[in-house]
Amino acid sequence: EGSTESGGKIRRARLYVSGSLFENFLFKAQYDFAGAKAGIKDLYLGARNLPFFGSVLIGHMKEPSSLDQMTSSNNNTFMERGAGATLDAARNTGITMYPRFFDSRLGWDLGAYINSNETASAFDFDSEYNVATRVYGLPWWEEDGRKMFYAGVAATHQFRNEGTTSYSGRPNTSFGPRLIGTGDISTNGNNLINISLANVIGPFTGQAEYSHSFI
């Protein structure tokens, strides 16, 4: 699929507005003008500083998944995310809560979503649904994160009800064709798991992840 000829493109071109109201309410609206899937990235309203629940967002946002996927593209080590991100659901429309404990050293993300694709361009109440959760901890955190260790695990169940799922990926670049693909696979559901580790010691950074899809 696609061409392997040389070329150029604008990888990301985004405009957004975000803010807070009365310290306890927040919002964000972000639009991406680059690529063939230009459209909404983040579009949500939320409340924060809630007892136990921490923050709660409603709208279009990332489903909690791998560390690589949850890290902003502004902070990627490389221009593209790793190949394992092929299994991540990325953004969908729904609700997410973000309880935090022990001065935010322990986090729990939990949400439910309706499939509306990455740019929130279309969905209806017959669309498929996902539920996702992520638990992570920072057992070591010093010097504002210049020295730290992260460990996290994430799980997602995708309800498919005699539907299909598929995966395809490029070789860690947004240029050129998708070199691997599964085609459509009939399924009633799909379970995804991810285990993530990261270590920072001054200028040294190491990160490893394992992802698996049980169709």
Side-chain angles (χ1 to χ4, degrees):
E1 172 186 329
S3 170
T4 57
E5 296 178 358
S6 298
K9 66 185 294 186
I10 297 174
R11 181 63 183 90
R12 297 179 180 93
R14 299 180 183 178
L15 294 176
Y16 77 91
V17 58
S18 64
S20 60
L21 300 171
F22 309 112
E23 298 185 357
N24 291 320
F25 301 95
L26 63 156
F27 64 90
K28 183 176 182 181
Q30 178 176 242
Y31 196 91
D32 191 353
F33 296 89
K37 293 183 178 180
I40 294 170
K41 286 297 181 181
D42 294 312
L43 182 63
Y44 56 73
L45 298 171
R48 60 188 177 186
N49 302 321
L50 299 174
F52 180 78
F53 295 104
S55 298
V56 176
L57 303 182
I58 299 175
H60 194 69
M61 70 202 82
K62 288 183 177 179
E63 294 188 18
S65 54
S66 69
L67 174 63
D68 199 24
Q69 185 62 246
M70 298 303 290
T71 299
S72 167
S73 58
N74 296 329
N75 301 314
N76 285 350
T77 303
F78 304 103
M79 183 174 289
E80 303 300 331
R81 293 182 167 84
T86 299
L87 301 183
D88 294 330
R91 289 176 171 85
N92 264 320
T93 301
I95 181 171
T96 314
M97 69 175 188
Y98 303 90
R100 297 291 183 263
F101 310 97
F102 306 111
D103 294 327
S104 296
R105 297 280 291 274
L106 176 66
W108 176 31
D109 306 342
L110 176 66
Y113 312 89
I114 187 170
N115 276 356
S116 56
N117 70 44
E118 175 74 2
T119 58
S121 60
F123 72 89
D124 57 43
F125 290 103
D126 292 325
S127 296
E128 297 160 331
Y129 295 83
N130 305 334
V131 291
T133 188
R134 179 177 72 134
V135 178
Y136 71 86
L138 296 165
W140 183 38
W141 178 273
E142 295 182 5
E143 299 179 16
D144 293 326
R146 293 180 180 88
K147 297 179 179 179
M148 57 82 73
F149 180 77
Y150 165 97
V153 59
T156 299
H157 179 72
Q158 299 174 334
F159 297 90
R160 291 299 177 261
N161 190 26
E162 298 183 357
T164 62
T165 191
S166 65
Y167 297 111
S168 62
R170 295 184 174 91
N172 293 92
T173 174
S174 65
F175 292 87
R178 297 182 180 272
L179 299 183
I180 58 173
T182 62
D184 289 336
I185 303 171
S186 298
T187 178
N188 283 319
N190 188 20
N191 293 301
L192 307 174
I193 61 168
N194 171 270
I195 300 171
S196 305
L197 300 172
N199 188 213
V200 176
I201 306 176
F204 171 80
T205 299
Q207 182 175 333
E209 301 200 27
Y210 173 80
S211 296
H212 198 110
S213 173
F214 300 89
I215 300 176

